[in-house]
Amino acid sequence: MITLILIVAVAALLAAIYLRGVYNEAYWKKRGVKFYQKSRALGIFFEFFKGDRSVLEHIEDIYCEFRNEPAVGVGSLFSPNLIVTDPTNVQHLTTVDFNSFMDRSIAPNSRDTLSNSLIFITGAKWKLIRQSMTPLFTSSKLKSMYYIMDKSAKDFVPYIKTNPKLKKGNAFNTLCTFCSAAMGAAVFGVTTESVFDSPFLKMAQKAGVTTFWQNLKFVISISSSFITRLFNVKLAAEHEAFFIGAIKQIIMERKKSNVKRHDFGDLCVALQEKGVLRDNETGLEIKPTDEILSAQAFFFFNAGVEPTATTIFNFFVLVGQHPEVQERLHREVDEAFKKSQGNLTFDIISDMEYLEMVLNESMRIYPAIGFFGRMCVKNTTLPVGNIKIDKGTTIFLPLFALQHDERYYPEPEVFKPERFSKENKDPIIDKTFMPFGKGNRMCIGQRFATVQAKAGIVHLMRHFKVNTVQISGKKIGFQKHLFAARLKNVDLEFIDR
Ligand code: HEM
Ligand SMILES: *[C@@H]1O[C@H](CO)[C@@H](O)[C@H](O)[C@H]1NC(C)=O
Ligand SMILES: *[C@@H]1O[C@H](CO)[C@@H](O)[C@H](O)[C@H]1NC(C)=O
Ligand SMILES: *[C@@H]1O[C@H](CO)[C@@H](O)[C@H](O)[C@H]1NC(C)=O
Ligand SMILES: *[C@@H]1O[C@H](CO)[C@@H](O)[C@H](O)[C@H]1NC(C)=O
């Protein structure tokens, strides 16, 4: 009897999956959109769980097959999913028609305290919190915070020199240590000594590890807000007590002291003293509680560690493979130190042209994040292909694939910083280069992360030469990751200059 029920249940499930696939295909056909035939119901995340490749590689394959189409439908169990390939459509939905695509593809669970961060929240609430956090990321703020990053980077050099085992192997972890110290200082305030070994580093490392369960939780959150709420799926529950406690402590201490540090702690105190955050347009009011501010800090902290360390790591992998680039960078770095008598300022580091070109080209070839998403929040149309998009459609933007398309970047696999020189820069770059996303919802920490990465890079380059160490016989590839583009089969060696 039980066997029979089981057989019927499995058969019903398979039939439902099959029918869903048929429905998906018909759905996109009706709209004149080509449909990707693999996993017609379960979609790219199913492919991801099955195999050992990262999501960005699956999206890259689909992109290559359909790049002459303006967009391509892919399988999904719940809402329709679309990968948008055409740069004009990308521009349209991230910028021109932003109001129709203002949410991200992930549905947050409001009971998951630390997930109530800018990256996940939606609608009017997102707009208000984004406005409130923006003052932390202006150029002038960055300029006054620069000393924090510079100090962490400067202190990092003797830290490596006195721990010789850090010079070869496991470079990604070493770079995470630097980023975590810099973020710790920026979020929690500087101390006289940079802290390279803290509970926050362990937390960031743990938050960055992708286990099957962590991936599953993310995929559920992407797939269905209903199931996310029903099962109370939490993305960061294990860090709640520790992190919120730490932020509460800082805010309390800052309120007592009068020292201005221009960091996140100061911003928190200023927001709480104002009372409520208010959006004049919608009338929405949010009280900046310790919990809400903790959620923002939690995401800032994690974004400042993993993706930023990935960016520095990938930069050095490419620089280590190109001695002529490394030599020219060394010259630029040495000159900057000489000119500033060893005290690099925000302005000097921002003016290092070659550094910026190399960094951008390395983020083109190996961006830290492989794709990003949007959720359609009202019925609308994409201009190229005149594609009708219904409210509830999840959109994937294939940033890695766009940055590797030879129609926009001739010889896309060749590392050529000159692509980003003033003389050569092709206008198509503005439409297709997006390591930090695009439009109103792009990375709020773009400049912050860039400056932090540059600070780390110049101090390391001042003292070391970098060798790229490839695991013999194996190709450099990507680790199995949902969002991140972490390299495998490659490491770094720092050699004293
Ligand atoms: C090199 C390091 C980083 C990379 C590659 C990166 C990349 C990205 C990308 C691709 C997005 C999605 C953008 C979009 O949907 O258009 C994003 C969003 C975001 N990033 Fe970053 N990020 C980095 C560092 C940081 C840092 C250091 C912070 C904070 C201090 C930060 C804060 C955020 C926030 C808050 C969002 C969500 C913005 C919103 O939805 O309004 N990121 N980032
Ligand atoms: C919103 O209204 C308040 C009070 O009327 C005003 O002080 C504030 O500047 C306004 N904010 C914006 C962003 O317009
Ligand atoms: C470095 O330059 C900055 C900005 O000009 C200045 O505020 C700081 O005191 C200088 N630091 C040292 C150690 O000279
Ligand atoms: C959006 O479009 C779908 C079908 O394309 C339709 O069923 C629905 O009523 C529309 N919603 C609104 C608010 O117009
Ligand atoms: C490098 O990329 C950033 C965006 O990440 C852009 O703002 C900047 O202008 C680029 N620099 C050059 C030299 O192209």
Side-chain angles (χ1 to χ4, degrees), residues 132-159:
S132 316
M133 291 295 136
T134 297
L136 190 62
F137 297 97
T138 61
S139 301
S140 66
K141 196 59 158 221
L142 204 50
K143 203 167 164 169
S144 54
M145 278 173 100
Y146 181 70
Y147 78 102
I148 301 178
M149 297 172 204
D150 186 66
K151 176 162 173 39
S152 313
K154 200 185 273 170
D155 292 351
F156 190 53
V157 171
Y159 175 74

Side-chain angles (χ1 to χ4, degrees), residues 174-191:
T174 306
L175 294 169
C176 281
T177 306
F178 158 65
C179 290
S180 140
M183 285 315 288
V187 176
F188 302 109
V190 262
T191 47

Side-chain angles (χ1 to χ4, degrees), residues 57 61 86 124 153 173 192 230 246-247 286 302 305 312 315 331 336 355 366 373 393 397 404 488:
E57 290 168 286
D61 288 352
D86 181 90
N173 280 353
T192 43
L230 185 68
I247 294 286
I286 296 177
N302 287 309
V305 179
I312 304 176
F315 169 94
R331 281 202 299 278
L355 174 62
Y366 295 139
T393 306
L397 298 149
H404 284 256
K488 67 178 178 193

Side-chain angles (χ1 to χ4, degrees), residues 31 379 388 390-391:
R31 286 165 172 71
N379 287 359
K388 261 186 71 193
D390 285 350
K391 180 177 170 177

